[in-house]
Amino acid sequence: GIISKTDSKRLNDALSQILHTMDKCGLVNQKGYNILIQFLALKIYDEKNNSNNLKYYINPDEAAYKQLTEDTLQDFLKRIEQIRAKAKTQYKKILNENYFDNKNENQVKVAIEIVRQFQNYSFTNSERNNLYQLVFYRFASQFSKADNAQFVTPLQIIDFIVDIINP
């Protein structure tokens, strides 16, 4: 299926929210971008492999944590880690190094926002070119501005993620 104009606007709004959170948390940089790409890969893996029982979600109780050690937040972080453990075998290049530190509050805030924004969106049912354009060009331009007009993510990684979505 093709991303409709409504979906396109929704995805753009989601990306704006994610960037806003990354900015507030000081993660509009290579580290933040790597986390975003890894969390997108986890989302796609979950859609492709757990379609009847998706694990890539965050509920309001989990998102409303006060401390990183709270059980509800830990449930979310364990779910993400379970997806990562399985996805790592399929997406070795992207998930080989874990950029996400679940003990770093700013990174946890960004992870929650990425999951919250993407959880109700299906990337595997999206048209390859639209997804490429909406997600990666949007973020590449944000990060190129942030890092003195140098692209921070090799195009091969972008192509690889697009291939994961719609081989």
Side-chain angles (χ1 to χ4, degrees):
I2 293 174
I3 299 179
S4 70
K5 281 198 165 78
T6 309
D7 282 344
S8 173
K9 171 150 181 22
R10 222 176 78 211
L11 189 56
N12 251 317
D13 291 347
L15 295 174
S16 292
Q17 284 301 122
I18 291 167
L19 276 170
H20 180 70
T21 301
M22 291 171 85
D23 189 38
K24 281 196 318 195
C25 293
L27 283 164
V28 179
N29 53 31
Q30 181 74 48
K31 181 79 164 168
Y33 199 53
N34 287 340
I35 291 168
L36 173 68
I37 286 178
Q38 289 190 337
F39 270 76
L40 188 53
L42 297 179
K43 164 71 172 154
I44 293 158
Y45 176 88
D46 193 46
E47 279 185 33
K48 286 188 159 191
N49 295 279
N50 300 325
S51 59
N52 295 330
N53 185 19
L54 293 172
K55 309 239 180 288
Y56 188 98
Y57 66 89
I58 184 154
N59 64 45
D61 288 348
E62 294 168 339
Y65 76 95
K66 300 277 184 271
Q67 293 181 307
L68 290 179
T69 54
E70 283 179 27
D71 289 345
T72 51
L73 179 64
Q74 289 302 312
D75 290 344
F76 163 71
L77 294 172
K78 282 181 195 135
R79 249 190 341 272
I80 293 299
E81 191 44 50
Q82 287 166 352
I83 299 170
R84 169 185 287 287
K86 291 179 182 162
K88 222 163 96 170
T89 61
Q90 264 183 286
Y91 306 150
K92 290 180 184 82
K93 282 184 192 167
I94 290 189
L95 298 175
N96 183 33
E97 189 178 334
N98 185 1
Y99 294 104
F100 174 61
D101 176 1
N102 65 13
K103 301 205 179 346
N104 177 312
E105 185 143 23
N106 282 330
Q107 290 184 29
V108 169
K109 285 177 183 173
V110 166
I112 286 170
E113 193 60 32
I114 294 169
V115 172
R116 186 192 345 244
Q117 293 299 331
F118 288 159
Q119 66 187 349
N120 296 321
Y121 196 88
S122 174
F123 286 102
T124 56
N125 293 329
S126 301
E127 176 97 354
R128 178 186 182 113
N129 292 338
N130 289 339
L131 185 71
Y132 187 96
Q133 188 180 351
L134 282 170
V135 177
F136 298 107
Y137 282 129
R138 164 101 190 226
F139 277 99
S141 68
Q142 282 296 135
F143 283 93
S144 67
K145 287 178 210 152
D147 290 350
N148 303 321
Q150 294 176 348
F151 282 95
V152 294
T153 300
L155 285 174
Q156 304 94 291
I157 292 179
I158 292 171
D159 289 335
F160 178 70
I161 287 196
V162 171
D163 286 339
I164 288 174
I165 299 164
N166 288 324

